[in-house]
Amino acid sequence: MPVGVLVDCTAIVFGGLIGACGHNRIPERIKVTLPVIFATCALALGITLIVKVINIEPVVLALILGTAVGERLGIEDYLNTISMRLQRRLQSGATRLDEKAVEDFVTLLVLFSANAGCIIGALYEGMTGDTTLLVIKSILDFFTAMIFATTAGYLIVLLSIPTLVVGVVFFSLASIILPHISEVMIADFVGGGGIITLLVGIRMMGLKRVPVANTIPVIPLLMPLSYLWTLVF
């Protein structure tokens, strides 16, 4: 059973519910300050993961190709549209939409489910039974979901669904995937995920509105390109 994955999803659900229900009780200063702290943590985590890269060339190539595919498919715009529709329904047909809530939803979608922490954590638990990585992630996800739900509302709770899907899939594939990947491939994958996490931090900090959802196709390219690079060079 993917215990760590379920703990992480539960943390997102409860964090989102607490934030959405108690948004009037959470002081405005905390709502303003903590997102900056979360963004700083994302930046720090991204930097920590990036230094693990062994072959930077395939990582850069994956980032360029994957982001180009994401831009071509318009993933960010598509997710924005879905987010707006969900928010409209949750507001019982209200016409006014919070653009910041939509942006937060897309940003956290990448942070929660489309990153190296979620995938590597699920693979590691599936192979070893160790939930440490996902439990650590769940602590950060709980507080992040709680604070951002004060503006995005119940939309944040829905992010537990893609997180659950991604986690369960890679947990189930762990015994098949891990025996066929090398430490170099894992290191390059983690490093590439670190760059995406860094971009998420930049967006959360408000320094630049990076279309982070368009980097999602980078994830499946990292390990194959790392393998081909080590095979050729």
Side-chain angles (χ1 to χ4, degrees):
M1 178 181 289
V3 176
V5 175
L6 294 176
V7 169
D8 189 24
C9 293
T10 302
I12 294 172
V13 170
F14 279 99
L17 289 174
I18 292 172
C21 294
H23 66 280
N24 292 325
R25 299 182 182 180
I26 299 177
E28 194 64 31
R29 292 178 62 180
I30 293 180
K31 294 180 185 178
V32 173
T33 302
L34 284 189
V36 177
I37 299 300
F38 297 145
T40 304
C41 290
L43 291 170
L45 177 59
I47 294 170
T48 301
L49 297 177
I50 289 171
V51 298
K52 298 181 182 297
V53 170
I54 294 178
N55 297 313
I56 189 62
E57 296 87 352
V59 173
V60 171
L61 185 59
L63 284 164
I64 294 173
L65 295 177
T67 304
V69 171
E71 289 286 347
R72 178 63 178 169
L73 295 176
I75 296 175
E76 177 105 0
D77 293 337
Y78 178 71
L79 292 176
N80 281 337
T81 300
I82 291 178
S83 177
M84 286 189 289
R85 289 177 179 173
L86 289 172
Q87 188 185 25
R88 191 176 286 115
R89 291 200 174 194
L90 290 173
Q91 290 178 342
S92 301
T95 56
R96 179 182 175 276
L97 292 176
D98 188 339
E99 292 183 5
K100 186 178 185 304
V102 173
E103 184 171 331
D104 289 344
F105 179 85
V106 176
T107 302
L108 295 185
L109 171 65
V110 177
L111 182 65
F112 288 164
S113 59
N115 66 33
C118 179
I119 296 173
I120 292 296
L123 285 173
Y124 191 68
E125 182 188 3
M127 195 66 180
T128 66
D130 190 342
T131 62
T132 303
L133 294 176
L134 288 174
V135 169
I136 293 173
K137 179 179 180 294
S138 68
I139 294 173
L140 179 60
D141 287 355
F142 173 81
F143 289 103
T144 304
M146 181 176 69
I147 294 301
F148 279 91
T150 60
T151 55
Y154 295 102
L155 272 177
I156 301 301
V157 175
L158 299 178
L159 290 174
S160 61
I161 298 174
T163 303
L164 178 64
V165 171
V166 172
V168 169
V169 166
F170 281 94
F171 175 87
S172 302
L173 293 176
S175 59
I176 300 174
I177 295 176
L178 282 183
H180 301 288
I181 59 179
S182 65
E183 292 184 5
V184 173
M185 292 167 64
I186 294 176
D188 291 345
F189 177 83
V190 170
I195 295 176
I196 295 175
T197 304
L198 189 67
L199 293 174
V200 170
I202 291 173
R203 176 161 167 168
M204 291 174 69
M205 189 74 75
L207 300 176
K208 179 73 174 178
R209 193 185 179 283
V210 183
V212 290
N214 288 339
T215 64
I216 291 176
V218 173
I219 298 294
L221 292 177
L222 286 166
M223 285 192 183
L225 289 178
S226 175
Y227 171 75
L228 290 174
W229 185 267
T230 55
L231 196 65
V232 175
F233 298 98

